[in-house]
Amino acid sequence: MKSEKNIIPAVLPLKKREETQNRWLFHRLNTLLPTLMEKHDVNMWIVVGREYNEDPVLKSLYPASIDSSRRLTILVFYLDSGKHLRRWVLHPNPNFEPFYERVWNPEECDQWECLRRLVDEHNPDNIALNYSSTFAVADGLSHSHFQHLSMLLDDHSHKFTSAQHVIVDWLSIRTSKELVAYPSIAELGRTIAEEALSRAVIHPGITTTEDVVDWIRQRVLDEGMETSFYPTVDLQRKGSDMDRLEGEIIRFGDIVHLDFGIRYLGLTTDTQQLAYVLYPGEVEAPEGLQSAFETALRFEDIITEEMKIGRTGNEVFYRAMKKAREEEIEAMLYSHPIGNHCHEAGALIGLYDVQGDIPIRGDLPLTANSCYAMEFNIKQYIPEWNQIIPIYLEEPVAFMQNRLEYMSKRQTSFYLI
């Protein structure tokens, strides 16, 4: 009997998606960006875009009809003395309006000369540029363009400063309009993940882990979306020396682990879900596996309790791991922000390969209206398997009204295949 596809939340047609993203962008530019520039004491922010070598932050600043910088695009943000943000674009494309005011007349001067005029006219106290040794998304200004700006604005170059703090907040903080929609995006991804971990896709003894990856990628493409990263499907198996088997045929008694996310409406998701493949006659996973899943949920609760606005990523990490040790939970914690990017800028809470203090990125505080992939694993002895196995989980969460909330239905037990 052929299995039906899961009914997933409605995916908007392209035009509606663009209208939605443009509304969000206009709202962000009008409400969020002025606040961030004031918060970080940035008077002027210059972003230079070059076709085929785009600054990574530009995608979050361009309206839907602008797909590239087309040779050269320069955006200038200026916070005047009245805390009013002026937004200028040095490019002839009319589709930049009403998001930006077009101030360059090609018949009068070139773009660089226009930029020089703007800087001279407004004489900002500081000029933020996109360079950073810490945050990749804030390091998009090319070396040649930095040199050109240094020569062009030679008598202002002493005012240059990194725009990294504005960029980190711009990318990691979501507005109220986005937070209303983000849970439905997360739920859309979770629904596809649940379908992938079912008999609609997996036939024990026949289906391989690679088959499931291929199915997911095609399913997401068929819905008119894209994955936020290349999905991973692997196995935990009784008697195996490896805890993440890949490229294997899925068998009865296996735990199937999926790491997967989607990109939709400019926002990404990242989740890890687990299924158990029942033996013929079995109706539930072995008790030892269920106990291990319950332990993972307990550690998930601990992380939730410790993720507080204002605490740094390192503080959350150490507090959560201390509680885990007190409860004799063997755990690893490596959670990260999500947003425009799957691994978004913002406070890191551990790294998979660094279970300790994360300099700079771990020292950032958790901020209101930010979203996270709560990612971790625990290890526990399974009597029925006579071995220790890991339980990998990851759930999208958000600070909504200063309270940490799951953005999609939380997985509380194994999916059963």
Short mmCIF file of all heavy atoms in Angstrom, two decimals, residues 305-358:
data_model
loop_
_atom_site.label_atom_id
_atom_site.label_comp_id
_atom_site.label_asym_id
_atom_site.label_seq_id
_atom_site.Cartn_x
_atom_site.Cartn_y
_atom_site.Cartn_z
N GLU A 305 16.23 26.02 31.07
CA GLU A 305 16.23 26.76 32.33
C GLU A 305 17.39 27.76 32.41
O GLU A 305 17.25 28.82 33.03
CB GLU A 305 16.32 25.79 33.51
CG GLU A 305 15.09 24.91 33.68
CD GLU A 305 15.35 23.68 34.56
OE1 GLU A 305 16.49 23.58 35.09
OE2 GLU A 305 14.45 22.84 34.69
N GLU A 306 18.50 27.42 31.78
CA GLU A 306 19.70 28.26 31.90
C GLU A 306 19.82 29.31 30.82
O GLU A 306 20.59 30.27 30.97
CB GLU A 306 20.96 27.37 31.90
CG GLU A 306 21.05 26.42 33.09
CD GLU A 306 21.01 27.15 34.42
OE1 GLU A 306 21.46 28.31 34.49
OE2 GLU A 306 20.54 26.56 35.41
N MET A 307 19.09 29.18 29.71
CA MET A 307 19.16 30.18 28.65
C MET A 307 18.33 31.40 29.05
O MET A 307 17.11 31.41 28.93
CB MET A 307 18.67 29.60 27.31
CG MET A 307 19.64 28.60 26.69
SD MET A 307 19.09 27.96 25.08
CE MET A 307 19.28 29.42 24.04
N LYS A 308 19.02 32.41 29.55
CA LYS A 308 18.38 33.63 30.01
C LYS A 308 18.96 34.83 29.27
O LYS A 308 20.17 34.89 29.03
CB LYS A 308 18.60 33.83 31.52
CG LYS A 308 18.15 32.66 32.39
CD LYS A 308 16.64 32.55 32.45
CE LYS A 308 16.23 31.46 33.44
NZ LYS A 308 14.77 31.23 33.43
N ILE A 309 18.11 35.77 28.91
CA ILE A 309 18.57 36.99 28.25
C ILE A 309 19.57 37.72 29.15
O ILE A 309 19.33 37.89 30.35
CB ILE A 309 17.38 37.90 27.91
CG1 ILE A 309 16.50 37.24 26.84
CG2 ILE A 309 17.85 39.27 27.42
CD1 ILE A 309 15.20 37.94 26.59
N GLY A 310 20.68 38.13 28.58
CA GLY A 310 21.70 38.84 29.33
C GLY A 310 22.86 37.95 29.75
O GLY A 310 23.97 38.44 29.94
N ARG A 311 22.62 36.64 29.91
CA ARG A 311 23.72 35.73 30.19
C ARG A 311 24.54 35.51 28.92
O ARG A 311 24.00 35.47 27.82
CB ARG A 311 23.20 34.38 30.68
CG ARG A 311 22.68 34.39 32.11
CD ARG A 311 22.23 33.01 32.54
NE ARG A 311 21.71 33.06 33.90
CZ ARG A 311 21.08 32.04 34.50
NH1 ARG A 311 20.90 30.89 33.84
NH2 ARG A 311 20.64 32.16 35.73
N THR A 312 25.83 35.37 29.09
CA THR A 312 26.67 35.09 27.93
C THR A 312 26.52 33.62 27.53
O THR A 312 26.06 32.78 28.33
CB THR A 312 28.15 35.37 28.22
OG1 THR A 312 28.62 34.42 29.18
CG2 THR A 312 28.34 36.79 28.74
N GLY A 313 26.92 33.32 26.31
CA GLY A 313 26.90 31.93 25.87
C GLY A 313 27.75 31.04 26.77
O GLY A 313 27.35 29.92 27.09
N ASN A 314 28.91 31.55 27.18
CA ASN A 314 29.78 30.77 28.06
C ASN A 314 29.12 30.52 29.42
O ASN A 314 29.23 29.42 29.98
CB ASN A 314 31.11 31.49 28.27
CG ASN A 314 31.99 31.45 27.03
OD1 ASN A 314 31.91 30.51 26.24
ND2 ASN A 314 32.82 32.46 26.85
N GLU A 315 28.43 31.51 29.96
CA GLU A 315 27.75 31.33 31.25
C GLU A 315 26.67 30.26 31.14
O GLU A 315 26.56 29.40 32.02
CB GLU A 315 27.12 32.66 31.70
CG GLU A 315 28.13 33.69 32.18
CD GLU A 315 27.49 35.04 32.46
OE1 GLU A 315 26.42 35.34 31.90
OE2 GLU A 315 28.07 35.80 33.25
N VAL A 316 25.89 30.29 30.07
CA VAL A 316 24.84 29.28 29.88
C VAL A 316 25.48 27.90 29.77
O VAL A 316 25.00 26.93 30.38
CB VAL A 316 24.02 29.59 28.62
CG1 VAL A 316 23.04 28.45 28.33
CG2 VAL A 316 23.25 30.90 28.79
N PHE A 317 26.57 27.80 29.01
CA PHE A 317 27.25 26.51 28.85
C PHE A 317 27.69 25.95 30.19
O PHE A 317 27.38 24.79 30.53
CB PHE A 317 28.46 26.67 27.92
CG PHE A 317 29.29 25.42 27.80
CD1 PHE A 317 28.95 24.44 26.88
CD2 PHE A 317 30.40 25.23 28.61
CE1 PHE A 317 29.70 23.28 26.78
CE2 PHE A 317 31.16 24.07 28.52
CZ PHE A 317 30.81 23.09 27.60
N TYR A 318 28.41 26.74 30.98
CA TYR A 318 28.96 26.22 32.24
C TYR A 318 27.86 25.90 33.24
O TYR A 318 27.95 24.89 33.96
CB TYR A 318 29.96 27.23 32.82
CG TYR A 318 31.28 27.24 32.09
CD1 TYR A 318 31.72 28.39 31.44
CD2 TYR A 318 32.08 26.10 32.05
CE1 TYR A 318 32.94 28.40 30.76
CE2 TYR A 318 33.30 26.11 31.37
CZ TYR A 318 33.71 27.25 30.73
OH TYR A 318 34.91 27.26 30.06
N ARG A 319 26.82 26.70 33.29
CA ARG A 319 25.74 26.44 34.24
C ARG A 319 24.99 25.16 33.86
O ARG A 319 24.65 24.34 34.73
CB ARG A 319 24.79 27.63 34.29
CG ARG A 319 25.39 28.89 34.89
CD ARG A 319 24.45 30.09 34.77
NE ARG A 319 23.32 29.95 35.65
CZ ARG A 319 23.19 30.54 36.82
NH1 ARG A 319 24.14 31.35 37.27
NH2 ARG A 319 22.12 30.36 37.57
N ALA A 320 24.71 24.98 32.58
CA ALA A 320 23.99 23.79 32.13
C ALA A 320 24.83 22.53 32.34
O ALA A 320 24.31 21.50 32.80
CB ALA A 320 23.60 23.93 30.66
N MET A 321 26.11 22.61 32.02
CA MET A 321 26.96 21.43 32.18
C MET A 321 27.18 21.08 33.65
O MET A 321 27.29 19.90 34.01
CB MET A 321 28.30 21.66 31.48
CG MET A 321 28.19 21.80 29.96
SD MET A 321 27.50 20.33 29.14
CE MET A 321 28.90 19.22 29.26
N LYS A 322 27.22 22.10 34.50
CA LYS A 322 27.35 21.84 35.95
C LYS A 322 26.13 21.09 36.46
O LYS A 322 26.25 20.10 37.21
CB LYS A 322 27.52 23.17 36.68
CG LYS A 322 27.68 23.04 38.20
CD LYS A 322 27.94 24.41 38.82
CE LYS A 322 28.17 24.28 40.33
NZ LYS A 322 26.94 23.89 41.05
N LYS A 323 24.93 21.52 36.06
CA LYS A 323 23.72 20.82 36.48
C LYS A 323 23.69 19.40 35.94
O LYS A 323 23.24 18.47 36.63
CB LYS A 323 22.47 21.58 36.01
CG LYS A 323 22.08 22.74 36.90
CD LYS A 323 20.70 23.26 36.53
CE LYS A 323 20.26 24.37 37.47
NZ LYS A 323 18.91 24.89 37.11
N ALA A 324 24.15 19.22 34.71
CA ALA A 324 24.18 17.88 34.12
C ALA A 324 25.07 16.96 34.95
O ALA A 324 24.70 15.80 35.25
CB ALA A 324 24.65 17.94 32.68
N ARG A 325 26.24 17.44 35.33
CA ARG A 325 27.15 16.62 36.14
C ARG A 325 26.52 16.30 37.49
O ARG A 325 26.66 15.17 37.99
CB ARG A 325 28.49 17.34 36.33
CG ARG A 325 29.34 17.40 35.07
CD ARG A 325 30.75 17.88 35.39
NE ARG A 325 30.76 19.24 35.91
CZ ARG A 325 30.84 20.33 35.14
NH1 ARG A 325 30.90 20.21 33.82
NH2 ARG A 325 30.87 21.53 35.69
N GLU A 326 25.84 17.29 38.07
CA GLU A 326 25.19 17.04 39.36
C GLU A 326 24.13 15.95 39.26
O GLU A 326 23.89 15.22 40.22
CB GLU A 326 24.56 18.34 39.88
CG GLU A 326 25.59 19.39 40.31
CD GLU A 326 24.95 20.75 40.62
OE1 GLU A 326 23.73 20.89 40.35
OE2 GLU A 326 25.67 21.64 41.12
N GLU A 327 23.49 15.84 38.09
CA GLU A 327 22.47 14.82 37.89
C GLU A 327 23.02 13.59 37.18
O GLU A 327 22.26 12.72 36.74
CB GLU A 327 21.29 15.42 37.09
CG GLU A 327 20.61 16.56 37.81
CD GLU A 327 19.34 17.04 37.11
OE1 GLU A 327 18.75 16.26 36.33
OE2 GLU A 327 18.93 18.20 37.36
N GLU A 328 24.36 13.52 37.10
CA GLU A 328 25.07 12.38 36.50
C GLU A 328 24.63 12.11 35.06
O GLU A 328 24.46 10.97 34.64
CB GLU A 328 24.90 11.13 37.37
CG GLU A 328 25.47 11.30 38.77
CD GLU A 328 25.37 10.04 39.61
OE1 GLU A 328 24.51 9.18 39.28
OE2 GLU A 328 26.13 9.90 40.58
N ILE A 329 24.46 13.20 34.33
CA ILE A 329 24.14 13.11 32.90
C ILE A 329 25.43 13.37 32.12
O ILE A 329 26.06 14.43 32.29
CB ILE A 329 23.07 14.14 32.49
CG1 ILE A 329 21.76 13.87 33.23
CG2 ILE A 329 22.84 14.11 30.98
CD1 ILE A 329 20.70 14.96 33.01
N GLU A 330 25.83 12.42 31.29
CA GLU A 330 26.99 12.63 30.43
C GLU A 330 26.52 13.36 29.18
O GLU A 330 25.81 12.80 28.35
CB GLU A 330 27.64 11.29 30.06
CG GLU A 330 28.91 11.43 29.25
CD GLU A 330 29.56 10.11 28.89
OE1 GLU A 330 29.11 9.07 29.41
OE2 GLU A 330 30.50 10.12 28.07
N ALA A 331 26.93 14.61 29.03
CA ALA A 331 26.35 15.45 27.98
C ALA A 331 27.41 16.27 27.27
O ALA A 331 28.50 16.52 27.80
CB ALA A 331 25.30 16.39 28.59
N MET A 332 27.06 16.69 26.06
CA MET A 332 27.80 17.69 25.30
C MET A 332 26.80 18.75 24.84
O MET A 332 25.67 18.41 24.47
CB MET A 332 28.49 17.07 24.09
CG MET A 332 29.61 16.11 24.41
SD MET A 332 30.31 15.36 22.89
CE MET A 332 31.02 16.81 22.08
N LEU A 333 27.23 20.01 24.85
CA LEU A 333 26.34 21.12 24.51
C LEU A 333 27.03 22.00 23.47
O LEU A 333 28.18 22.42 23.66
CB LEU A 333 26.02 21.93 25.77
CG LEU A 333 25.17 23.20 25.61
CD1 LEU A 333 23.83 22.91 24.95
CD2 LEU A 333 24.96 23.86 26.97
N TYR A 334 26.33 22.27 22.36
CA TYR A 334 26.91 23.07 21.28
C TYR A 334 25.79 23.75 20.50
O TYR A 334 25.54 23.46 19.34
CB TYR A 334 27.78 22.19 20.36
CG TYR A 334 27.26 20.78 20.16
CD1 TYR A 334 26.47 20.45 19.07
CD2 TYR A 334 27.56 19.77 21.08
CE1 TYR A 334 25.98 19.16 18.88
CE2 TYR A 334 27.08 18.49 20.91
CZ TYR A 334 26.30 18.19 19.81
OH TYR A 334 25.81 16.91 19.64
N SER A 335 25.12 24.68 21.16
CA SER A 335 23.98 25.38 20.57
C SER A 335 24.42 26.68 19.90
O SER A 335 25.40 27.29 20.30
CB SER A 335 22.93 25.68 21.64
OG SER A 335 22.46 24.48 22.22
N HIS A 336 23.64 27.10 18.89
CA HIS A 336 24.04 28.27 18.10
C HIS A 336 22.81 29.04 17.65
O HIS A 336 21.71 28.49 17.53
CB HIS A 336 24.84 27.83 16.88
CG HIS A 336 24.10 26.87 15.99
ND1 HIS A 336 23.25 27.28 14.99
CD2 HIS A 336 24.10 25.51 15.94
CE1 HIS A 336 22.75 26.23 14.38
NE2 HIS A 336 23.23 25.14 14.93
N PRO A 337 22.97 30.33 17.36
CA PRO A 337 21.85 31.12 16.83
C PRO A 337 21.46 30.65 15.43
O PRO A 337 22.27 30.08 14.70
CB PRO A 337 22.40 32.56 16.79
CG PRO A 337 23.59 32.55 17.67
CD PRO A 337 24.16 31.17 17.58
N ILE A 338 20.20 30.90 15.05
CA ILE A 338 19.73 30.68 13.69
C ILE A 338 19.02 31.95 13.23
O ILE A 338 18.52 32.72 14.04
CB ILE A 338 18.80 29.47 13.56
CG1 ILE A 338 17.64 29.55 14.58
CG2 ILE A 338 19.56 28.17 13.69
CD1 ILE A 338 16.60 28.47 14.41
N GLY A 339 18.96 32.15 11.93
CA GLY A 339 18.30 33.33 11.38
C GLY A 339 18.45 33.31 9.87
O GLY A 339 18.06 32.36 9.21
N ASN A 340 19.05 34.35 9.32
CA ASN A 340 19.34 34.36 7.88
C ASN A 340 20.30 33.24 7.51
O ASN A 340 20.26 32.70 6.41
CB ASN A 340 19.94 35.70 7.45
CG ASN A 340 19.00 36.86 7.69
OD1 ASN A 340 19.04 37.48 8.74
ND2 ASN A 340 18.14 37.15 6.73
N HIS A 341 21.18 32.91 8.43
CA HIS A 341 22.14 31.81 8.25
C HIS A 341 21.83 30.70 9.24
O HIS A 341 21.33 30.95 10.33
CB HIS A 341 23.57 32.29 8.46
CG HIS A 341 23.95 33.46 7.61
ND1 HIS A 341 23.86 34.77 8.06
CD2 HIS A 341 24.39 33.53 6.33
CE1 HIS A 341 24.25 35.59 7.09
NE2 HIS A 341 24.57 34.87 6.03
N CYS A 342 22.14 29.47 8.84
CA CYS A 342 21.89 28.33 9.73
C CYS A 342 22.74 28.43 10.99
O CYS A 342 22.25 28.18 12.09
CB CYS A 342 22.19 27.03 8.98
SG CYS A 342 21.86 25.56 9.95
N HIS A 343 24.01 28.76 10.84
CA HIS A 343 24.86 29.06 11.99
C HIS A 343 25.01 30.58 12.01
O HIS A 343 25.95 31.14 11.47
CB HIS A 343 26.23 28.38 11.86
CG HIS A 343 26.18 26.91 12.09
ND1 HIS A 343 27.30 26.12 12.18
CD2 HIS A 343 25.13 26.06 12.27
CE1 HIS A 343 26.94 24.85 12.39
NE2 HIS A 343 25.63 24.80 12.44
N GLU A 344 24.05 31.22 12.65
CA GLU A 344 23.95 32.67 12.61
C GLU A 344 24.96 33.32 13.55
O GLU A 344 25.47 32.69 14.48
CB GLU A 344 22.52 33.11 12.97
CG GLU A 344 22.22 34.58 12.74
CD GLU A 344 22.51 35.00 11.31
OE1 GLU A 344 23.67 35.34 11.02
OE2 GLU A 344 21.58 34.98 10.48
N ALA A 345 25.25 34.59 13.27
CA ALA A 345 26.07 35.37 14.18
C ALA A 345 25.32 35.52 15.51
O ALA A 345 24.10 35.51 15.55
CB ALA A 345 26.34 36.75 13.58
N GLY A 346 26.06 35.63 16.59
CA GLY A 346 25.45 35.76 17.91
C GLY A 346 26.18 34.89 18.92
O GLY A 346 27.22 34.29 18.63
N ALA A 347 25.64 34.81 20.11
CA ALA A 347 26.30 34.11 21.21
C ALA A 347 26.32 32.61 20.98
O ALA A 347 25.29 31.99 20.79
CB ALA A 347 25.58 34.43 22.52
N LEU A 348 27.52 32.03 21.03
CA LEU A 348 27.66 30.58 20.95
C LEU A 348 27.58 29.98 22.34
O LEU A 348 28.11 30.53 23.31
CB LEU A 348 29.01 30.21 20.32
CG LEU A 348 29.19 30.48 18.83
CD1 LEU A 348 30.59 30.04 18.40
CD2 LEU A 348 28.13 29.76 18.01
N ILE A 349 26.94 28.82 22.43
CA ILE A 349 26.85 28.09 23.70
C ILE A 349 27.58 26.76 23.49
O ILE A 349 27.00 25.73 23.17
CB ILE A 349 25.38 27.85 24.09
CG1 ILE A 349 24.62 29.18 24.12
CG2 ILE A 349 25.30 27.16 25.45
CD1 ILE A 349 23.12 29.03 24.34
N GLY A 350 28.90 26.80 23.62
CA GLY A 350 29.72 25.63 23.36
C GLY A 350 29.89 25.37 21.88
O GLY A 350 29.17 25.91 21.04
N LEU A 351 30.86 24.55 21.55
CA LEU A 351 31.07 24.03 20.20
C LEU A 351 31.30 22.53 20.30
O LEU A 351 31.80 22.05 21.32
CB LEU A 351 32.29 24.69 19.55
CG LEU A 351 32.14 26.14 19.05
CD1 LEU A 351 33.51 26.72 18.70
CD2 LEU A 351 31.21 26.20 17.85
N TYR A 352 30.95 21.81 19.25
CA TYR A 352 31.09 20.35 19.30
C TYR A 352 32.53 19.95 19.62
O TYR A 352 32.77 19.01 20.39
CB TYR A 352 30.66 19.74 17.96
CG TYR A 352 30.62 18.23 17.97
CD1 TYR A 352 29.50 17.55 18.45
CD2 TYR A 352 31.71 17.47 17.53
CE1 TYR A 352 29.45 16.17 18.49
CE2 TYR A 352 31.68 16.09 17.56
CZ TYR A 352 30.54 15.45 18.04
OH TYR A 352 30.52 14.07 18.08
N ASP A 353 33.49 20.68 19.04
CA ASP A 353 34.89 20.33 19.24
C ASP A 353 35.57 21.19 20.31
O ASP A 353 36.78 21.07 20.52
CB ASP A 353 35.66 20.43 17.92
CG ASP A 353 35.53 21.79 17.26
OD1 ASP A 353 34.66 22.57 17.67
OD2 ASP A 353 36.32 22.08 16.34
N VAL A 354 34.80 22.06 20.98
CA VAL A 354 35.34 22.86 22.08
C VAL A 354 34.31 22.87 23.20
O VAL A 354 33.42 23.73 23.24
CB VAL A 354 35.67 24.31 21.65
CG1 VAL A 354 36.29 25.08 22.81
CG2 VAL A 354 36.58 24.34 20.43
N GLN A 355 34.42 21.94 24.10
CA GLN A 355 33.49 21.86 25.22
C GLN A 355 34.06 22.65 26.39
O GLN A 355 34.51 22.08 27.39
CB GLN A 355 33.23 20.40 25.58
CG GLN A 355 32.38 19.66 24.57
CD GLN A 355 30.96 20.19 24.53
OE1 GLN A 355 30.15 19.93 25.42
NE2 GLN A 355 30.63 20.94 23.49
N GLY A 356 34.04 23.96 26.24
CA GLY A 356 34.59 24.84 27.25
C GLY A 356 34.38 26.28 26.84
O GLY A 356 33.45 26.61 26.11
N ASP A 357 35.28 27.14 27.29
CA ASP A 357 35.17 28.57 27.05
C ASP A 357 35.39 28.89 25.57
O ASP A 357 36.38 28.46 24.97
CB ASP A 357 36.20 29.30 27.91
CG ASP A 357 35.86 30.77 28.05
OD1 ASP A 357 34.86 31.08 28.70
OD2 ASP A 357 36.63 31.60 27.51
N ILE A 358 34.46 29.65 24.98
CA ILE A 358 34.60 30.11 23.60
C ILE A 358 34.94 31.60 23.64
O ILE A 358 34.08 32.42 23.98
CB ILE A 358 33.30 29.90 22.79
CG1 ILE A 358 32.79 28.47 22.92
CG2 ILE A 358 33.51 30.29 21.33
CD1 ILE A 358 33.71 27.42 22.36
#
